């Protein structure tokens, strides 16, 4: 996928980094997405995952808000499942994920 889509590696790096940023939907088609837009897609993914209680819901929101992600998941369905699993790991290791877990634990 890295050879086919120049945006794939920067998107993966930003998504796995887990740092938060403002969401700016990318309306570009998958084949036309630049490296810079790939970075924005990764940031959008983290923001979408953080905004939902479940990682799967966050990834689904990410897919609905970004045309390129929707195309990627339609062409390679296994990637959606992979991103849900990566989202679980991002939540588990991120500082904001820890705050969410501690807050829920305190409420219980």
């Amino acid at each position: 996928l890295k050879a086919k889509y120049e945006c794939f590696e920067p998107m993966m790096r930003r998504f796995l980094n887990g740092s938060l940023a403002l969401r700016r939907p990318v309306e570009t088609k998958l084949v036309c997405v630049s490296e810079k837009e790939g970075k924005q897609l990764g940031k959008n993914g983290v923001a979408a995952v953080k905004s939902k209680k479940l990682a799967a819901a966050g990834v689904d929101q990410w897919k609905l808000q970004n045309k390129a992600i929707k195309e990627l998941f339609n062409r390679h369905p296994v990637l959606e499942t992979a991103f849900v699993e990566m989202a679980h790991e991002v939540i588990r290791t991120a500082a904001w994920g820890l705050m969410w877990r501690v807050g829920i634990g305190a409420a219980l």
Side-chain angles (χ1 to χ4, degrees):
L1 290 173
K2 180 182 170 184
K4 191 171 184 180
Y5 308 114
E6 79 173 87
C7 67
F8 191 74
E9 185 180 358
M11 177 186 67
M12 290 289 292
R13 286 184 186 195
R14 293 295 170 128
F15 188 87
L16 293 174
N17 185 15
S19 59
L20 294 174
L22 294 176
R23 269 188 263 177
R24 285 186 233 122
V26 176
E27 295 297 326
T28 311
K29 289 184 177 184
L30 181 60
V31 295
C32 301
V33 174
S34 68
E35 188 174 324
K36 182 179 177 183
E37 289 172 319
K39 290 177 183 178
Q40 186 60 46
L41 285 170
K43 292 176 189 178
N44 290 349
V46 174
V49 167
K50 185 186 182 298
S51 70
K52 297 293 182 184
K53 291 181 182 179
L54 299 173
V59 171
D60 191 49
Q61 179 183 3
W62 183 39
K63 177 176 77 172
L64 294 174
Q65 291 178 344
N66 296 280
K67 186 176 185 177
I69 298 301
K70 188 173 185 176
E71 286 181 40
L72 182 67
F73 289 170
N74 287 340
R75 290 182 187 173
H76 308 283
V78 72
L79 286 178
E80 187 166 4
T81 306
F83 271 99
V84 169
E85 292 304 316
M86 287 186 274
H88 284 293
E89 186 65 19
V90 167
I91 292 169
R92 189 181 69 74
T93 58
W96 50 264
L98 175 65
M99 291 183 282
W100 185 78
R101 288 191 310 275
V102 170
I104 295 296
L108 296 176

